[in-house]
Amino acid sequence: MLGLTLFTRPGQLENQTVRDVAIGDISIASVNTYVRVSGILDPTGVYRTSYNLGGFELYGSRYVPLMTPGTPDAIWVADENLPTRDSAGYVTLVAQVMMGQGMQQPTLYLQVGYPPNVVLANLLSRLGSMLLIILIAAAFIGWLVERLDYAIPLPWSASLAENPPALLWFGALGRQFDDLVLRSFPARFSATPHEARFESADPASPWSVAIRRLRQVQLFDVATQYGGMPAARLHFEDERGLQRHGVIAAGSTESRDAILRVLSLIR
């Protein structure tokens, strides 16, 4: 649906205007325009295209003559959407002037039907373009948030709610946990001279992230459900030497800085 809306290609408004014309005024210059024309529709003079295929004769489109009484002016009309008549009768038709293709079709003929709603088509085209832009923006924002480990930096300082968790972890857990990504999960911190670990604060849902070497740190305040918390974006090597990243948020700036000092000592 989006593709049909987005790639709508409406014609120019002037080409979709229905003009009142006489049959004799229709010429090659009228091709692809819409006209309102009156005359006598004579079903007894029907012309039908036919093709010979291996001894079989295949019939194609039918065309009915539309004539102006008392004049030699006439034009063929494709036998589609025509008023039902068993004999000649005076009619008024709204149709598009078409150019015939091939030797059997008339040079010019009318295809009965009203022009498309160009204003609506243009509106749908614009709405489709806007929707595509919104979807692209949403996809980009989603990609950016994922790249930020779902830890959105605050552009300003925010008050911290009472009794926030001591430590939160944002980021992927690695292959041993099927690359599960956690967002703002309570964590515990432990360290030895050669490795540090962030582990689940809930024994019922165990997980852990090991850090063997801290590569880079970026400090900022992160938005959480507890309010703004001092945070650090960590780029590190895990126990297998793989480059990883994640975000920690602490209950205070002192706690965050203390954890970072411990991480900087691991060798």
Side-chain angles (χ1 to χ4, degrees):
M1 180 62 181
L2 173 61
L4 292 176
T5 303
L6 177 62
F7 296 109
T8 299
R9 299 183 62 183
Q12 298 298 322
L13 284 171
E14 58 270 21
N15 291 337
Q16 306 297 318
T17 301
V18 178
R19 298 180 298 112
D20 291 301
V21 300
I23 293 177
D25 295 332
I26 298 174
S27 66
I28 195 71
S30 306
V31 171
N32 293 329
T33 65
Y34 285 84
V35 297
R36 183 180 289 105
V37 63
S38 299
I40 293 178
L41 197 63
D42 184 8
T44 62
V46 169
Y47 162 71
R48 169 174 281 181
T49 59
S50 62
Y51 306 91
N52 190 286
L53 185 64
F56 295 94
E57 190 171 15
L58 302 179
Y59 291 100
S61 303
R62 285 164 44 100
Y63 300 91
V64 182
L66 183 69
M67 302 171 291
T68 302
T71 73
D73 296 336
I75 190 170
W76 293 101
V77 183
D79 189 10
E80 298 175 9
N81 303 319
L82 291 179
T84 302
R85 290 181 180 273
D86 296 326
S87 59
Y90 196 83
V91 296
T92 298
L93 303 176
V94 173
Q96 186 179 18
V97 181
M98 307 295 292
M99 178 177 289
Q101 303 294 325
M103 297 296 296
Q104 294 201 33
Q105 284 189 334
T107 304
L108 293 177
Y109 66 92
L110 300 180
Q111 186 79 45
V112 175
Y114 282 85
N117 189 328
V118 176
V119 175
L120 178 60
N122 281 323
L123 177 61
L124 291 177
S125 180
R126 294 190 186 98
L127 289 177
S129 299
M130 292 173 59
L131 180 57
L132 181 62
I133 292 172
I134 291 172
L135 291 177
I136 292 174
F140 174 75
I141 291 173
W143 172 82
L144 182 61
V145 170
E146 183 178 3
R147 289 288 297 173
L148 294 175
D149 298 305
Y150 301 94
I152 308 303
L154 287 172
W156 57 79
S157 297
S159 59
L160 185 65
E162 294 184 2
N163 301 318
L167 185 63
L168 296 176
W169 171 263
F170 301 76
L173 299 181
R175 294 179 184 174
Q176 65 270 38
F177 295 98
D178 295 325
D179 291 318
L180 179 66
V181 177
L182 300 184
R183 310 175 189 181
S184 188
F185 265 62
R188 294 184 295 109
F189 176 71
S190 61
T192 67
H194 303 293
E195 182 180 273
R197 282 186 175 272
F198 293 98
E199 300 175 315
S200 174
D202 182 6
S205 303
W207 55 265
S208 64
V209 175
I211 295 180
R212 289 287 177 87
R213 186 184 299 274
L214 187 63
R215 293 293 187 182
Q216 186 180 1
V217 175
Q218 296 170 302
L219 303 181
F220 63 99
D221 288 339
V222 67
T224 74
Q225 64 267 44
Y226 309 102
M229 295 179 67
R233 191 176 309 279
L234 310 178
H235 296 263
F236 58 91
E237 290 182 10
D238 65 9
E239 70 276 16
R240 293 173 295 173
L242 298 178
Q243 299 290 325
R244 301 272 300 281
H245 55 84
V247 172
I248 60 169
S252 66
T253 303
E254 293 77 15
S255 297
R256 178 196 65 186
D257 294 344
I259 292 173
L260 296 179
R261 280 195 296 271
V262 173
L263 291 176
S264 67
L265 297 174
I266 295 174
R267 293 292 183 268

